[in-house]
Amino acid sequence: MPANAARRTVDAPRAIVLVGLMGVGKSTVGRRLAHRLDLPFVDADAEIEAAASLSIAEIFERYGEAHFRDGERRVIARLIDGSRKVIATGGGAFMNDATRALILERATAVWLDADIDTLASRVSRRDDRPLLHGRDARAVLTDLADRRNPVYAFAPIHVRTEPAPHDATVDAILRQLRA
């Protein structure tokens, strides 16, 4: 953390839940945001993997996306327990009507958004994204953005991420939370 970026107190009586497409930086930004706010950080995908004793890819492969989304909804409901924390969700979590309603009712949703080229560059660094297996990342992300961005727009806070240091995104979120 830069020397001039002291931890800040924000009146966030509820959990802060980061939503957005894969590769937008929800986990990385979430960890830094939690640190700056002196709050716990939880990655919903890691919690799902721990609960299932399987990786996300294995859950998709063995049981399908519908089963995964049901487990995701239950884990997120458990995480949004009234305590203050920062939660990073998987890219599709906010698409589930029940999960989205829960997040909007009991937490502060922050939509992290980025252009497709930036996202495609970021996701190409890893091969553990089930929705991308054997497919062109740019094409998949374009399709997902077309379908998901109108739903992500229900989040009361919208922050564009740029190919810049993650602390710039954290600063932008903090400004929005204080607004």
Side-chain angles (χ1 to χ4, degrees):
M1 174 167 52
N4 64 347
R7 289 187 181 167
R8 297 176 176 115
T9 303
V10 170
D11 184 20
R14 307 182 321 161
I16 299 166
V17 179
L18 304 179
V19 302
L21 288 173
M22 68 178 91
V24 78
K26 296 179 299 289
S27 295
T28 303
V29 168
R31 279 185 195 89
R32 291 174 188 230
L33 178 64
H35 179 75
R36 296 262 296 270
L37 292 172
D38 200 22
L39 294 175
F41 170 76
V42 183
D43 186 303
D45 281 352
E47 292 292 316
I48 293 163
E49 289 177 336
S53 297
L54 296 169
S55 71
I56 301 297
E58 289 170 326
I59 297 168
F60 265 74
E61 184 179 317
R62 288 186 190 182
Y63 303 107
E65 186 174 359
H67 178 84
F68 170 77
R69 296 296 174 203
D70 182 57
E72 179 179 58
R73 178 190 49 75
R74 287 183 278 124
V75 166
I76 291 172
R78 176 177 51 83
L79 294 175
I80 301 176
D81 60 2
S83 65
R84 296 178 64 213
K85 63 181 76 137
V86 176
I87 302 169
T89 63
F94 207 62
M95 297 302 101
N96 178 285
D97 292 339
T99 303
R100 183 175 57 256
L102 175 73
I103 292 169
L104 292 173
E105 178 184 321
R106 295 177 45 198
T108 299
V110 177
W111 172 25
L112 297 182
D113 188 16
D115 67 76
I116 298 299
D117 289 330
T118 298
L119 295 173
S121 172
R122 290 176 183 169
V123 301
S124 67
R125 298 177 198 151
R126 294 175 34 192
D127 66 350
D128 62 342
R129 308 218 186 234
L131 295 178
L132 297 179
H133 283 289
R135 301 172 69 195
D136 176 65
R138 192 173 196 301
V140 171
L141 288 163
T142 299
D143 178 58
L144 289 173
D146 289 345
R147 289 185 286 122
R148 292 181 177 180
N149 285 356
V151 178
Y152 293 146
F154 285 108
I157 297 175
H158 178 199
V159 174
R160 289 278 299 176
T161 66
E162 305 298 335
H166 293 297
D167 283 324
T169 302
V170 172
D171 290 339
I173 294 168
L174 290 170
R175 283 191 300 274
Q176 292 277 346
L177 287 171
R178 288 188 183 102

